[in-house]
Amino acid sequence: MLPAHLRNLARTEGEVELQIQGEATQRSVLDALEARYPMLRGTIRDHATQRRRPFVRFFACEQDLSHEPPDTPLPEPVATGAEPFMVVGAMAGG
């Protein structure tokens, strides 16, 4: 699942379904997402470092996965497609 501004940029609506080769990890999901929607490159993670951008968070199975290493396997329900991997724009301010 993508936040509205990234769905608009990718010109897609609703959830995005991806086929992942090998193990489902943050890196493999984001690689597949950027391959399918090249206009998203650099919006979720930095081009050079591949690190998550500030104010972008990852959630799955009611867990914040934002600080997990990118090659950590995602929960089984995400890997099987039963639960979504959510990219969320964090909010800041007072």
Side-chain angles (χ1 to χ4, degrees), residues 5-83:
H5 66 286
L6 294 180
R7 285 194 312 266
N8 288 339
L9 185 61
R11 297 183 189 105
T12 186
E13 294 183 19
E15 291 185 16
V16 173
E17 292 186 26
L18 302 167
Q19 297 296 321
I20 306 297
Q21 298 297 325
E23 193 164 40
T25 65
Q26 286 180 27
R27 185 184 315 274
S28 66
V29 168
L30 295 175
D31 285 348
L33 181 67
E34 290 174 349
R36 185 166 172 189
Y37 300 101
M39 66 285 288
L40 295 179
R41 289 186 185 135
T43 62
I44 298 171
R45 55 189 180 169
D46 183 85
H47 280 290
T49 66
Q50 297 296 299
R51 294 182 63 139
R52 174 181 56 86
R53 291 239 180 241
F55 300 107
V56 174
R57 308 290 289 199
F58 304 133
F59 291 90
C61 301
E62 299 182 18
Q63 298 175 36
D64 183 350
L65 304 176
S66 304
H67 298 289
E68 294 291 321
D71 292 318
T72 300
L74 293 174
E76 187 63 27
V78 175
T80 62
E83 291 286 330

Side-chain angles (χ1 to χ4, degrees), residues 78-89:
V78 175
T80 62
E83 291 286 330
F85 177 75
M86 295 181 281
V87 177
V88 178

